[in-house]
Amino acid sequence: MRTFIAVLAGLAVIYFGATGHRSSGQEGGGISGGVVLLALLAAVLVWHLTKPGDRPVK
């Protein structure tokens, strides 16, 4: 489940990065290296934040 959410976060960054690039009216297709880097960072952040921790039992 953790992997799925991390991949989904990365894909969301790529999707919104690509649609934002297209809507600006510039020539050229595809996604930039910066968007890919942001997607990787988002996936790693989600992976880290969803890591199960040692929670004390009350």
Side-chain angles (χ1 to χ4, degrees):
M1 186 66 172
R2 198 175 150 205
T3 303
F4 176 73
I5 294 173
V7 169
L8 195 63
L11 289 175
V13 170
I14 289 174
Y15 173 75
F16 288 114
T19 56
H21 179 70
R22 270 187 265 148
S23 66
S24 65
Q26 297 176 353
E27 289 295 320
I31 55 175
S32 67
V35 172
V36 172
L37 183 61
L38 283 175
L40 286 173
L41 288 174
V44 168
L45 180 65
V46 168
W47 179 265
H48 177 71
L49 291 176
T50 57
K51 177 175 52 175
D54 294 329
R55 298 188 180 133
V57 178
K58 292 184 179 181

